[in-house]
């Protein structure tokens, strides 16, 4: 079927990846998929719980959305599922609109994402300034960390509010219910996640602190006796899984008085999710425009940033951004019908996938299958998982999510970068991501117009009683038209019959506002019996003047 040129073809990367697929590649993809599936289990539960949902919402989102994104996406190795960036957004929508409307907003965002990809708008996401991305990423990391304070401290809080200052107030009012056992488990989990990868990384060993080096020496001593093979096997175990299993067993056998998945959610159902249509109406959709756009924009930015990281790490052919957005759209449209949450590309799991040897979307399908088998086989064991351990995992995620070094580099950055980055960061923390993105983009546009207008210059070359010559540099657009006022002043103060020459050889572009000002200048010159002469027109300004008919009214040299 022949599609119009403005529509992107639907070509999942899986189809091309299976051409010439070998058994050796399948074994590598299967191993990587199993590894990522194990890594995704605690993260999926933690993201759902932190978002105000039940843990199975995150798990089945990772399974269903992960499978759809891998099967239909435009990247060879990207892993999709629930992401930390959505925690704050989902919690806020859930608090304000309720679960049914969250599901509707997610499905509508899926439609919007699919249309963005179908209309070849995937590349537009790249135009989001890096200062905005860094600002809202750091802001989300701070909010994730704050959202985990309740479970980390073991506070008895019936319902956490969504906004920043209310959360701080509620936490302060419930400090009397502090649980030292929960804090101990959370801090041990967090510390263990920092230490675990350094035990097997030679570069990290060299940079490690005193405590880490002592553990490494102890491990080396044990290795020298009998456990070298066990150590190599341990190095392949994901840190979150090690923390989840060991600390859950520790809390269970010592009967520590901490809140668990079982005590708060009565465990995880050991069954497939049921298909259910949310209560859909046009009036409801109209109320959910802002949440829908927020989910779609954040999902698009996160997934395409993740896909770019995957390209750099894997060395495989570059992803197709439009196909990736269409796959994200399908996944987010389908998942709500099974009670899931918004999904996008996930950098941590994608990088794990690549480093585990993945070379095709098959690894993503194996990852989803692995998660499904784990849930169906071991769901009853999840009732014993302490929430403090999951909070420790999320604090580790928040730390890795934030680009904290950017704050230290701010003194060397431009004033525009500092203003946009810090503005987006504080708006994300104090208000919400929707406001931060809107204000950040508007501010970026205003500052861009200001910078571009400063590059446009009008230089007076010569002037006498009968003629005046000026040279234009840069781009004459709506933000720079005021800089032509000095020429108009010369025309109005000069005697009649003045010949004005504009040398535009260095004028790179012209928009309709700039053309309108030139037309007004031409009228003012003609009314005083003079002539306007334009010399050295480049291709773009020439085309604009020709289409408007202005070219026929002036003299060219």
């Amino acid at each position: 079927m022949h599609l119009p040129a403005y529509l992107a073809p639907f070509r999942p990367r899986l189809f091309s990846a299976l051409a010439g697929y070998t058994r050796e590649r399948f074994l590598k993809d299967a191993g990587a998929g199993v590894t990522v599936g194990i890594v995704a289990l605690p993260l999926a539960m933690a993201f759902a719980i932190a978002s105000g949902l039940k843990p199975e919402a995150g798990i089945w989102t990772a399974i269903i959305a992960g499978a759809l994104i891998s099967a239909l996406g435009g990247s060879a190795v990207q892993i999709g599922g629930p992401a930390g960036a959505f925690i704050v957004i989902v919690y806020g929508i859930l608090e304000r609109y309720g679960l049914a409307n969250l599901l509707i907003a997610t499905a509508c965002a899926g439609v919007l994402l699919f249309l963005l990809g179908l209309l070849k708008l995937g590349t537009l996401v790249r135009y989001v300034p890096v200062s905005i991305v860094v600002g809202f990423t750091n802001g989300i990391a701070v909010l994730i960390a704050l959202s985990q304070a309740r479970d980390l401290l073991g506070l008895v809080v019936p319902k956490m509010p969504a906004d920043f200052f209310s959360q701080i107030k509620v936490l302060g009012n419930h400090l009397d219910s502090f649980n030292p056992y929960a804090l101990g488990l959370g801090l041990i989990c967090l510390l263990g996640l920092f230490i675990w990868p350094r035990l097997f990384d030679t570069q990290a060993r060299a940079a490690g602190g005193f405590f880490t080096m002592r553990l490494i020496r102890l491990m080396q001593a044990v290795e020298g006796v009998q456990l070298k093979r066990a150590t190599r096997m341990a190095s392949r175990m994901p840190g979150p899984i090690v923390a989840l299993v060991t600390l859950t067993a520790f809390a269970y056998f010592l009967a520590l008085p901490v809140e668990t998945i079982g005590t708060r959610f009565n465990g995880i159902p050991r069954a497939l999710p049921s298909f259910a249509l949310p209560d859909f109406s046009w009036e409801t959709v109209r109320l959910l425009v802002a949440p829908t756009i927020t989910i779609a924009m954040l999902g698009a930015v996160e997934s395409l940033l993740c896909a770019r990281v995957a390209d750099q790490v894997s060395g495989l052919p570059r992803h197709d951004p439009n196909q990736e957005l269409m796959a994200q759209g399908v996944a987010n449209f389908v998942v709500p019908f099974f009670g899931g949450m918004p999904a996008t590309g996930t950098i941590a799991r994608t990088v794990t996938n690549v480093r585990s040897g993945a070379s095709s979307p098959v690894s993503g399908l194996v990852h989803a299958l692995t998660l499904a088998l784990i849930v169906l086989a071991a769901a009853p064991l999840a009732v014993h998982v302490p929430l403090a351990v999951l909070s420790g995992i999320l604090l580790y995620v928040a730390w890795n999510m934030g680009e904290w070094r950017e704050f230290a580099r701010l003194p060397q950055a431009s004033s525009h970068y500092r203003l946009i980055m810090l503005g987006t960061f504080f708006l994300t923390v104090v208000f919400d991501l929707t406001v931060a993105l809107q204000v950040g983009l508007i501010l970026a546009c205003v500052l861009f117009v200001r910078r571009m207008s400063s590059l446009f210059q009008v230089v007076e070359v010569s002037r006498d009683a009968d003629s005046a010559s000026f040279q234009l540099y840069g781009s004459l657009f709506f933000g720079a038209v005021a800089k032509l006022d000095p020429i108009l002043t010369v025309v109005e103060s000069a005697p009649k019959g003045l010949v004005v020459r504009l040398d535009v050889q260095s004028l790179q572009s012209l928009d309709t506002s700039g053309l309108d000002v030139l037309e007004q200048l031409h009228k003012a010159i003609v009314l005083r019996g003079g002539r306007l002469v334009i010399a050295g027109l480049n291709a773009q300004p020439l085309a604009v003047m020709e289409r408007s008919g202005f070219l026929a009214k002036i003299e060219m040299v």
Side-chain angles (χ1 to χ4, degrees):
M1 180 180 177
H2 180 71
L3 291 174
Y6 57 86
L7 296 182
F10 193 81
R11 296 174 182 169
R13 184 61 57 89
L14 178 64
F15 297 161
S16 59
L18 290 178
Y21 198 65
T22 62
R23 180 176 180 273
E24 289 73 19
R25 287 183 63 191
F26 172 74
L27 292 177
K28 289 183 178 180
D29 285 337
V34 171
T35 301
V36 179
I38 294 173
V39 171
L41 178 64
L43 295 178
M45 290 192 298
F47 291 152
I49 293 172
S51 301
L53 300 169
K54 294 182 178 181
E56 59 264 28
I59 293 174
W60 287 109
T61 298
I63 294 170
I64 298 172
L68 289 172
I69 290 171
S70 294
L72 305 177
S75 172
V77 291
Q78 175 152 271
I79 301 296
F86 276 118
I87 290 176
V88 180
I89 297 299
V90 172
Y91 193 90
I93 296 174
L94 196 63
E95 179 79 9
R96 184 173 180 182
Y97 299 98
L99 178 59
N101 289 330
L102 168 65
L103 299 179
I104 294 174
T106 303
C108 292
V111 174
L112 183 56
L113 282 167
F114 187 87
L115 292 176
L116 287 175
L118 184 65
L119 297 175
K120 295 184 177 180
L121 299 178
T123 54
L124 293 181
V125 177
R126 297 180 181 178
Y127 296 131
V128 178
V130 66
S131 52
I132 292 180
V133 175
V134 172
F136 79 66
T137 300
N138 287 352
I140 290 172
V142 170
L143 291 175
I144 291 174
L146 180 63
S147 70
Q148 296 311 297
R150 174 179 65 167
D151 292 333
L152 181 68
L153 300 176
L155 304 182
V156 180
V157 180
K159 183 70 175 178
M160 284 290 291
D163 62 284
F164 178 74
F165 293 109
S166 296
Q167 285 184 355
I168 294 177
K169 181 179 179 180
V170 168
L171 291 172
N173 291 338
H174 291 82
L175 285 177
D176 55 343
S177 60
F178 166 68
N179 186 336
Y181 297 102
L183 179 62
L185 282 175
L187 292 181
I188 291 172
C189 175
L190 183 61
L191 181 63
L193 290 173
F194 277 106
I195 292 176
W196 183 257
R198 289 168 171 78
L199 295 176
F200 312 103
D201 187 340
T202 54
Q203 293 182 354
R205 291 183 185 192
F210 174 77
F211 182 65
T212 303
M213 292 303 296
R214 295 282 293 183
L215 284 178
I216 290 169
R217 288 170 185 167
L218 177 61
M219 184 191 69
Q220 289 173 336
V222 173
E223 283 180 359
V225 179
Q226 57 183 350
L227 293 180
K228 287 187 177 181
R229 178 178 295 181
T231 302
R232 284 195 298 269
M233 292 178 62
S235 67
R236 300 189 182 100
M237 289 294 296
I241 286 294
V242 174
L244 187 73
V245 172
T246 56
L247 293 178
T248 298
F250 180 78
Y252 175 74
F253 288 111
L254 293 183
L256 298 182
V258 293
E259 193 172 15
T260 65
I261 289 179
T263 58
R264 183 179 294 183
F265 302 103
N266 296 320
I268 298 174
R270 192 178 180 179
L272 296 174
S274 57
F275 181 88
L277 292 173
D279 186 13
F280 183 87
S281 67
W282 174 242
E283 289 74 16
T284 302
V285 173
R286 291 173 59 188
L287 295 174
L288 298 174
V289 171
T292 296
I293 294 176
T294 301
I295 293 173
M297 285 298 299
L298 183 57
V301 171
E302 282 286 311
S303 63
L304 296 186
L305 285 177
C306 178
R308 291 177 65 182
V309 171
D311 292 343
Q312 297 168 0
V313 175
S314 67
L316 294 170
R318 291 181 58 188
H319 72 282
D320 180 348
N322 298 313
Q323 182 62 43
E324 189 61 34
L325 287 185
M326 286 191 280
Q328 300 284 341
V330 172
N332 280 282
F333 179 76
V334 171
V335 161
F337 298 117
F338 296 93
M341 59 188 293
T344 185
T346 56
I347 293 179
R349 277 161 276 174
T350 298
V351 172
T352 302
N353 190 39
V354 174
R355 290 177 178 172
S356 299
S359 63
S360 78
V362 172
S363 62
L365 297 175
V366 174
H367 136 267
L369 179 61
T370 301
L371 261 177
L373 292 176
I374 292 174
V375 173
L376 295 176
L381 299 178
V383 298
H384 305 298
V385 175
L387 297 180
V389 174
L390 294 180
S391 71
I393 293 174
L394 278 183
L395 287 173
Y396 183 71
V397 170
W399 174 260
N400 287 327
M401 176 188 293
E403 299 184 41
W404 312 113
R405 293 180 181 177
E406 291 299 317
F407 288 110
R409 295 173 183 167
L410 282 179
Q412 289 77 43
S414 66
S415 58
H416 288 185
Y417 182 92
R418 290 198 297 268
L419 179 59
I420 296 174
M421 198 273 266
L422 290 176
T424 306
F425 171 76
F426 286 113
L427 286 172
T428 301
V429 173
V430 176
F431 294 98
D432 59 48
L433 184 59
T434 305
V435 175
L437 282 175
Q438 291 172 349
V439 175
L441 286 172
I442 293 172
L443 191 59
C445 291
V446 170
L447 293 177
F448 175 76
V449 169
R450 179 186 175 190
R451 179 174 295 176
M452 292 300 296
S453 64
S454 68
L455 297 178
F456 177 75
Q457 294 182 0
V458 177
V459 177
E460 183 177 328
V461 179
S462 63
R463 192 196 330 170
D464 53 35
D466 299 323
S467 64
S469 179
F470 301 88
Q471 195 159 8
L472 307 186
Y473 297 87
S475 299
L476 181 54
F477 69 113
F478 66 90
V481 294
K483 291 193 175 183
L484 290 182
D485 289 347
I487 301 179
L488 187 60
T489 301
V490 170
V491 172
E492 292 174 345
S493 61
K496 293 185 176 182
L498 181 70
V499 177
V500 177
R501 175 189 170 98
L502 298 181
D503 186 348
V504 295
Q505 187 174 2
S506 299
L507 184 68
Q508 301 302 319
S509 63
L510 175 72
D511 73 352
T512 53
S513 296
L515 178 64
D516 181 69
V517 172
L518 290 178
E519 290 179 338
Q520 298 301 322
L521 177 63
H522 176 252
K523 289 179 182 178
I525 294 172
V526 171
L527 284 174
R528 288 166 176 77
R531 295 182 292 120
L532 176 63
V533 180
I534 296 183
L537 274 171
N538 289 311
Q540 194 274 340
L542 177 65
V544 172
M545 292 182 182
E546 193 172 19
R547 284 197 304 269
S548 66
F550 180 64
L551 199 63
K553 302 177 185 178
I554 61 172
E555 295 183 28
M556 282 185 57
V557 294

